[in-house]
């Protein structure tokens, strides 16, 4: 049985100051590079990048609202056809009054404002805040009297709003708008956007439901579920919880809404709507399927609803789906979505390295899901996955200079194949500046700027440290104000120091995660502390006094990892990890033809701290060998096998997230291994 | 320099009687199963299979011709739109006067009649011949007065003939018709179809060329080139050679005809038309690219033209393309076309086993190409590839009972992936009954029934034995009639006995191929024979007398084959071969999870003759081991590697062509290997 008293909630960002060397650098990149770039992008001011049209669409929709007010009911806006998923100007470059860009282009603003909010919470910036306020004014001016706010329909044809939930992303845009609005309110206290989001939510409430006269619909691309739960957590308004609950519970019920809305029956609904996780009621879903980003966004919303309603059955569904992902469908980097066809999960244990999709956004969604599971149950298995995804499959999405991005995060790359083999065209051999469909860069921006809300959650009597990062925290410890300081060498060094900076009067618990990658650890704790290990956390309870210090040390040994025997691609191969970091070989360090290199599974590992590419990190050298083919073996395509000729080779490994910062080249995570 | 006196030509099928145990069985399957089935298929009489509409279309076109004759110029046929590649009846199943099926459906008849012709040459069958004659009458009745004969345009819209050479297969259908017509004439002496083909060729001659008023076009799907050369070789009419030469030389010239015919310029022509091998003039093509079947059909036509015109430059282009295929782009089974996207060649050394396309028809085209290269230069490297393709990647296309077929011939299969992973949907885990697009089964039928014309070629003073198969041959040895008999245990036993059955008066040479897979061989030859080894052939010259016998023995050792180090998929893997036969492991013999099995590269091989599945063959057992994962390794997706636990396992190998005759199951050709 779920107990509400066990639930924790993220520490508000305004109560955390991140000082961590590793994460502070990432956050600064987002603040100084990504957010300004993104603002230019959504104002179509990035030369060479596809225009977003985002702010232009809001302005255009705002004009229509103004005209309506001025001209009253006499005014009938021009209509434009809805039949394109993306509208671009004709060859002459001329634009008319219609909506431009992808149908979900509104969300560009929302993701940006959310990242801005988190950044402002950590790093006040009056000029940025002014820009944000002005943008918010533009957005709010586009809102219809009744609360509706999606510029695609407002501009092109208002009569058709909510007519294609499956494909047209209205509720997705609503979700992002709401997340951005909540974040901006929490960071700045300003509520203009929040009120816009609430008015839109109220409008949606009137439209959807199983009651007579309402549409029994739900989002084609999930996110509204978690957004509504943020609104509920902030406002305590039951109606938002009820809408989220409705979206979750109605999903996948028969007759399929996606059939109803197009007035036809899709005989293969169970297969077809699996892409949207709408093939079955969510409580009956036992396998993670379909579009990976949508899936983990849904599961995150399900976990939110399960928590808020203490719904054991729904939580059990979340656990089943979590286990299915983590035990059968996740790359060692925390990447999910093994096929580019539908950007989707493949079947269990099908984890090809070179054709992986492993979208940055999907791993980000997995972090959302993990944090929500942690809120319900502090089990380190959730935090372990969150940490893996963060340090590997997510950070790999951004170049070290914050200026280019990967959507797709493969675990093995041969650039020639990316250029010549259409089956791998989705795998880019080099990060891209920006994308027309700009989901991953802004998603990275909002995640990184809010990283502390994933690291720390609290409930009345307990502070949870899920991730280790340096910073100062202000917490309410049993309603007493407390200040804590954390120092950490993660992810390169396993030392963590926790210091209480003021005196408390009542016992308070701090729960330290014991990372799954460290089978042993050392601890120094103040005498008289009550210590308990449970579910992968070390619970330390005492009446904390200023200067009380806890020192933990998690040895970061180089670990050679193997896959489950059912992962065919990795049979006979090992991956190198150290602490939370997954490593890879790059051509720049090991030469061409990485496939000819083999790792001695009994060899010694040497790990060195180093500074390269502007990054302080640990490089690893492993004992290995290189196949040296005989000249005759190179003449023909096939030859009678002969004893293999090897030369010794020290294999050089780099953190996976750092790959591809030195131009195009081969890369490999899983390396063929031998025992000697 | 090419010398015409060195050229050989295939032995006419009417002069060979195949008695070979192996091939006779295959030919009987074609005669008793495939040809009757195919006839039913092209008359839409196979329940459960997509109708071909082939004979129906010929009848419909015939009606139109009859009406034209009856009504004269007053008659204007109804027109139908041309915009579909495949036309099927509506949901009510009702058909109107339009053309049905794929645009290339006419070729179903032509492939069938060609197979029938070869079968009749070996095995007279008055009833089958009567059926064939009646079908020919139907086809010829559809021909227009001026010789044009393609029912798609005759039925739908005559005004648009030759308006879409790139996609609409008119010249492809012409090519097949001509091949069938030549074969039927050669087998039966009946010339009705031959005359129809010649009239059609004459019509095409008037339409195409670089002269004013003609279209400077060429086939979108090649085959007309080799068909015209068969017509030329039969009739000695220069005009057919000239048309073939024109098609070959005009191909890929700028401006691109495929641009011209649609009145637009395709900026990416060089990339786009690579699919059709029309991106460059053929003499400048150095890499085999695009649709694999089209490619080898073109190269076959090029070789034909090079031979007939003693064109060194063109022959050099053929050699370059041959080498490119064989040294970089061919599976060990003789399969070609590594990607299903465009059914095409991938880049060099990219030979994935589980997503291979390796279409049966492409390997058949490779055999066409090989035989034509052999005609020009008797080098065993061509015959080696021909033999490999025949015994492996081609025969695998047909079930042992001749009742079901593969288009795609992968080298590794996990049935679950074929069902669940869209990237492998082209890989069928079980042979199919028949296909709407029926290219591979009838192509197999015509190849197998004419197998002797690939085994044996002759020139005035020499008989070439490229493949070993039992049979009797009637040859013109320096204008003397000679009868020869061959006995062979191929592909299971390397003994070959050649016997001359009558006395000759002049010296005559018989050239025996020395297979590349056998580094040594034994020979017994009549004393006084002049023996010379050259280019992988043993030339034996003597004045042969009745009873003169040559006995050769090519030891068929089990050979473990490795790939070129640049074939990434096969690094650390070996394939088992014996003689010309490539072997594979099947789940039916080795259990599930073939990827956990490893082959001892130093182990002993045991080969046993056996009879299973109605087939006499050699099964091979190899020493090996099976990874036995610890229970803990199965719990999670990733774990710290530990010393691998193995159990000894005898790996059982079956000839590749025999795979998948015992239901769905895993299969693997390239097996991970270890040295012990």
């Amino acid at each position: 049985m779920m107990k509400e008293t066990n639930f924790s909630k993220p520490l508000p960002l305004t109560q955390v100051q991140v000082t961590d060397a590793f994460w502070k650098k990432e956050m600064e990149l987002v603040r100084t590079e990504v957010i300004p770039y993104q603002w230019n992008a959504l104002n179509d001011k990035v030369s060479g990048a596809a225009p977003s049209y985002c702010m232009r669409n809001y302005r255009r929709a705002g004009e229509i609202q103004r005209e309506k007010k001025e001209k009253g009911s006499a005014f009938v806006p021009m209509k434009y056809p809805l039949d394109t998923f993306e509208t671009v100007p004709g060859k002459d470059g001329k634009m008319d009054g219609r909506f431009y860009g992808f149908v979900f282009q509104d969300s560009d603003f929302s993701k940006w404002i959310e990242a801005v909010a988190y950044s402002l919470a950590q790093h006040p910036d009056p000029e940025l805040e002014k820009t944000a306020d002005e943008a918010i004014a533009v957005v709010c001016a586009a809102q219809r009297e009744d609360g509706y706010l999606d510029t695609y329909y407002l501009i092109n044809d208002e009569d058709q709003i909510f007519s294609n939930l499956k494909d047209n992303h209205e509720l997705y845009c609503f979700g992002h708008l709401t997340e951005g609005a909540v974040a901006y309110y929490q960071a700045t206290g300003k509520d203009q956007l929040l009120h816009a989001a609430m008015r839109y939510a109220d409008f949606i409430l009137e439209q959807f439901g199983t009651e007579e006269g309402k549409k029994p619909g739900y989002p084609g691309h999930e996110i509204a579920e978690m957004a509504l739960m943020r609104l509920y957590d902030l406002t305590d308004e039951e109606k938002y919880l009820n809408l989220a609950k409705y979206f979750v519970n109605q999903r996948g019920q028969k007759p399929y809404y996606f059939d109803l809305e197009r007035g036809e029956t899709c005989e293969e609904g169970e297969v077809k709507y699996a892409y949207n996780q709408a093939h079955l009621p969510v409580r009956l879903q036992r396998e993670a399927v379909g579009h990976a980003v949508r899936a983990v966004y849904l599961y995150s919303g399900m976990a939110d609803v399960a928590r808020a309603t203490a719904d054991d059955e729904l939580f059990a569904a979340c656990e089943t789906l979590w286990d299915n992902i983590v035990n059968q469908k996740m790359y060692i980097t925390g990447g999910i979505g093994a096929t580019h066809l539908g950007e989707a999960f493949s079947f269990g244990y099908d984890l090809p390295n070179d054709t992986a999709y492993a979208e940055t956004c999907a791993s980000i969604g997995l972090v959302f899901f993990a944090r929500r599971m942690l809120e319900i149950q502090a089990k380190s298995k959730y935090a372990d996955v969150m940490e893996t995804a963060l340090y590997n499959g997510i950070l790999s999405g951004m170049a070290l200079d914050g200026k280019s991005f990967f959507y797709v995060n493969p675990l093995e790359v041969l650039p020639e194949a990316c250029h010549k083999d259409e089956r791998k065209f989705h795998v880019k051999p080099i990060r891209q500046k920006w994308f027309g469909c700009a989901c991953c860069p802004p998603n990275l921006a909002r995640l990184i700027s809010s990283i502390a809300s994933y690291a720390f959650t609290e409930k009345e009597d307990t502070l949870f440290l899920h991730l280790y990062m340096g910073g100062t925290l202000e917490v309410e410890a049993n309603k007493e104000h407390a200040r804590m300081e954390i120092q950490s060498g993660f992810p390169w060094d396993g030392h963590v120091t926790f210091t209480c900076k003021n005196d408390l009067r009542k016992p308070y618990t701090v729960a330290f995660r014991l990372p799954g990658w460290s089978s042993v650890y050392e601890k120094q704790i103040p005498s008289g502390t009550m210590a308990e290990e449970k579910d992968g956390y070390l619970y330390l309870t005492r009446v904390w006094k200023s200067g009380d210090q806890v020192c933990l040390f998690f040895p970061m040994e180089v670990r050679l990892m193997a896959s489950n025997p059912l992962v065919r691609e990795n049979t006979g191969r090992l991956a190198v990890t150290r602490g939370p970091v997954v490593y890879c070989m790059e051509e720049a360090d090991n030469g061409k033809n990485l496939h000819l290199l083999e790792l001695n599974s009994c060899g010694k590992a040497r790990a060195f701290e180093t500074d390269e590419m502007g990054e302080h990190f640990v490089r690893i050298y492993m004992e290995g060998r290189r196949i040296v083919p005989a000249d005759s073996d190179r003449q023909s395509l096939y030859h009678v096998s002969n004893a293999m000729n090897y030369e010794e080779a020290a294999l050089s490994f780099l953190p996976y997230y750092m790959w591809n910062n030195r131009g195009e080249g081969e890369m490999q995570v899983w390396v063929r291994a031998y025992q000697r």
Side-chain angles (χ1 to χ4, degrees), chain A:
Chain A
M1 289 289 286
M2 292 170 73
K3 279 196 218 142
E4 263 186 75
T5 51
N6 284 334
F7 301 159
S8 67
K9 59 181 200 299
L11 214 56
L13 289 179
T14 46
Q15 290 170 225
V16 187
Q17 197 61 44
V18 175
T19 57
D20 190 77
F22 186 90
W23 285 106
K24 188 74 186 170
K25 174 177 180 275
E26 299 292 339
M27 289 165 76
E28 280 297 290
L29 272 186
V30 168
R31 191 178 71 81
T32 60
E33 289 291 337
V34 187
I35 289 176
Y37 188 97
Q38 204 174 337
W39 175 242
N40 285 333
L42 52 99
N43 283 284
D44 314 333
K45 285 179 182 161
V46 178
S47 66
S52 154
Y53 305 109
C54 173
M55 294 312 295
R56 177 268 174 202
N57 287 335
Y58 276 116
R59 278 192 201 88
R60 173 78 193 104
E63 278 169 24
I64 296 171
Q65 300 317 311
R66 199 166 55 241
E67 276 193 88
K68 270 193 196 167
K69 267 181 210 133
E70 286 166 13
K71 299 183 183 165
S73 58
F75 175 68
V76 181
M78 169 91 184
K79 286 187 183 180
Y80 299 94
L82 291 179
D83 53 1
T84 49
F85 191 67
E86 183 188 11
T87 310
V88 292
K91 278 183 183 167
D92 57 5
K94 279 189 194 147
M95 291 165 60
D96 56 21
R98 80 186 65 204
F99 174 97
Y100 284 92
F102 289 102
V103 293
F104 47 76
Q105 215 75 57
D106 282 4
S107 63
D108 278 11
F109 159 77
S110 307
K111 293 167 190 164
W112 176 76
I113 200 73
E114 191 179 340
V116 168
Y118 301 141
S119 180
L120 291 176
Q122 287 286 301
H123 193 287
D125 179 339
E127 201 181 330
L128 177 60
E129 191 166 333
K130 183 160 165 279
T131 305
D133 288 339
E134 287 166 3
I136 287 169
V138 169
V139 168
C140 292
Q143 188 166 33
R144 207 164 66 173
E145 289 261 335
D146 60 7
Y148 182 78
L149 178 46
D150 187 293
T151 72
Y152 179 68
Y153 286 96
L154 287 174
I155 296 173
N156 281 357
D157 190 350
E158 291 183 89
D159 292 345
Q160 297 197 53
I161 66 171
F162 298 138
S163 63
N164 185 353
L165 292 190
K166 177 168 160 284
D167 304 317
N168 279 359
H169 289 70
E170 270 162 303
L171 294 173
Y172 169 83
C173 289
F174 157 74
H176 268 299
L177 182 79
T178 301
E179 292 226 55
V182 170
Y184 198 73
Y185 171 77
Q186 287 175 327
T188 65
K190 292 177 181 170
D191 63 3
Q192 188 185 9
L193 194 61
L194 180 66
H195 279 137
M198 288 167 72
R199 281 176 58 213
Y200 192 7
D202 293 341
F203 179 79
I204 290 169
L205 261 164
E206 286 165 21
Q207 306 291 316
F208 291 97
T210 48
E211 301 91 335
E212 187 69 30
K214 290 186 169 185
K215 290 175 197 278
Y218 40 81
H221 190 317
E222 302 93 327
I223 189 177
E225 301 81 354
M226 32 170 183
L228 284 163
M229 292 306 298
R230 284 184 80 169
L231 204 51
Y232 168 68
D233 288 337
L234 179 72
T235 63
D236 247 343
E237 294 257 28
E238 287 279 337
K239 61 185 177 183
Y240 301 131
L241 169 62
N242 288 338
L243 184 55
K245 220 161 73 177
Y246 160 77
F247 278 155
V248 164
N249 288 328
Q250 184 62 13
R251 189 167 207 87
Q253 301 289 350
K254 288 190 182 179
Y256 291 119
Y257 180 74
F258 295 151
D259 280 346
L260 297 178
E261 73 174 0
R262 50 177 60 66
E264 58 186 40
T265 310
C266 164
E267 279 174 29
E268 25 162 39
E270 295 215 359
V271 177
K272 197 167 169 195
Y273 300 139
Y275 170 81
N276 309 76
Q277 301 78 44
H279 53 307
L280 281 175
V282 299
R283 291 157 199 271
L284 300 182
Q285 295 188 22
R286 309 191 64 77
E287 185 180 354
V289 294
H291 189 266
V293 175
R294 292 175 204 234
V296 282
Y297 280 19
L298 168 65
Y299 308 155
S300 300
M302 285 164 60
D304 277 334
V305 171
R307 169 183 53 76
T309 57
D311 184 333
D312 283 309
E313 189 192 46
L314 189 57
F315 182 63
C318 292
E319 282 185 304
T320 299
L321 290 163
W322 174 272
D323 289 343
N324 179 252
I325 292 174
V326 169
N327 294 333
Q328 294 191 25
K329 300 196 172 189
M330 186 182 77
Y331 289 97
I332 194 169
T333 55
I336 52 174
T339 173
H340 65 295
L341 297 170
E343 306 178 333
F345 287 107
S346 188
F347 62 95
Y349 306 105
D350 185 40
L351 293 162
N353 296 305
D354 57 347
T355 57
Y357 201 72
E359 187 180 339
T360 309
C361 284
S363 294
I364 290 173
L366 185 60
V367 168
F368 297 163
F369 187 21
R371 213 272 314 280
R372 282 157 176 83
M373 295 303 273
L374 281 172
E375 290 174 39
I376 298 171
Q377 282 190 341
K379 292 188 173 177
S380 64
K381 67 174 189 174
Y382 299 118
D384 283 343
V385 168
M386 186 162 83
E387 187 183 60
T388 295
L390 280 167
Y391 283 112
N392 303 291
I394 291 173
L395 276 190
S396 61
M398 185 162 74
L400 293 176
D401 63 5
K403 289 180 178 171
S404 56
F405 303 88
F406 277 137
Y407 269 46
V408 169
N409 297 279
L411 281 77
E412 183 166 329
V413 168
L414 174 71
E416 185 180 17
C418 304
H419 294 300
K420 295 182 178 172
D421 182 357
E422 204 178 327
R423 290 169 294 192
K424 291 176 189 158
F425 279 2
H426 63 286
V427 178
K428 302 296 171 205
I430 196 135
R431 288 184 186 79
Q432 313 285 299
K433 285 299 285 179
W434 196 257
F435 298 79
C437 168
C439 65
C440 297
N443 230 349
L444 264 167
R446 66 185 186 124
L447 179 75
I448 290 171
S449 348
S450 62
I451 189 70
S453 67
Y454 297 88
F456 313 117
T457 67
E458 60 174 349
K459 55 180 184 171
E460 189 161 8
D461 58 2
T462 311
L463 170 68
F464 291 94
L465 310 184
H466 303 298
L467 304 173
Y468 294 112
M469 60 182 67
T472 52
L473 319 180
E474 314 277 336
V475 296
E476 292 299 305
N478 291 314
K479 305 199 170 69
E480 282 185 88
H481 176 260
R483 208 160 141 261
M484 316 295 200
E485 192 180 276
I486 301 163
Q487 288 178 317
S488 143
F490 273 48
W492 314 120
D493 170 89
H495 288 93
V496 175
T497 307
F498 173 91
T499 314
C500 185
K501 303 299 273 188
N502 61 336
D503 293 345
L504 298 182
R505 280 167 300 170
K506 280 184 276 184
Y508 183 64
T509 305
V510 181
F512 298 83
R513 169 174 154 255
L514 304 174
W517 43 259
S518 180
S519 52
V520 295
Y521 70 101
E522 294 167 18
K523 60 176 186 272
Q524 283 181 284
I525 51 181
S527 63
T529 305
M530 207 170 77
E532 187 196 6
E533 276 189 33
K534 192 186 148 203
D535 292 338
Y537 283 78
L538 172 66
Y539 288 79
L540 298 183
T541 307
R542 63 184 284 113
V543 180
W544 297 85
K545 299 296 170 196
S546 181
D548 279 355
Q549 202 165 57
V550 175
C551 296
L552 299 176
F553 176 57
F554 304 104
M556 289 188 177
E557 306 288 347
V558 173
R559 300 196 311 159
L560 296 182
M561 303 299 290
S563 293
N564 186 297
L566 295 178
V567 181
R568 302 170 73 89
E569 299 266 349
N570 296 344
T571 318
R573 293 175 180 237
L574 298 176
V576 174
T577 66
R578 181 178 176 278
V581 178
V582 176
Y583 280 73
C584 68
M585 292 197 298
E586 272 206 297
E587 180 180 330
D589 301 311
N590 298 284
K592 278 196 183 297
N593 293 323
L594 295 182
H595 66 286
L596 297 180
L597 292 172
E598 297 182 351
L599 177 64
N600 180 357
S601 61
C602 308
K604 271 201 193 121
R606 291 175 298 142
F608 295 101
E609 295 206 36
T610 178
D611 289 275
E612 294 173 49
M613 301 171 247
E615 192 83 354
H616 180 78
F617 69 99
V618 173
R619 192 182 270 285
I620 296 174
Y621 294 93
M622 299 293 306
E623 290 179 15
R625 64 189 185 187
R626 181 189 301 275
I627 298 175
V628 182
D631 279 349
S632 58
D633 297 352
R634 296 182 179 279
Q635 303 304 312
S636 61
L637 205 36
Y638 306 104
H639 58 269
V640 175
S641 80
N642 35 38
M644 205 67 97
N645 186 25
Y646 297 100
E647 66 183 21
E648 298 252 322
L651 313 187
S652 178
F653 287 83
L654 184 83
Y656 171 76
Y657 80 88
M658 290 181 65
W659 90 275
N660 195 251
N661 279 282
R662 293 171 290 177
E664 267 190 35
E666 294 179 35
M667 183 274 289
Q668 203 176 57
V669 171
W670 290 98
V671 182
R672 289 185 312 104
Y674 62 100
Q675 291 177 1
R676 192 169 56 189

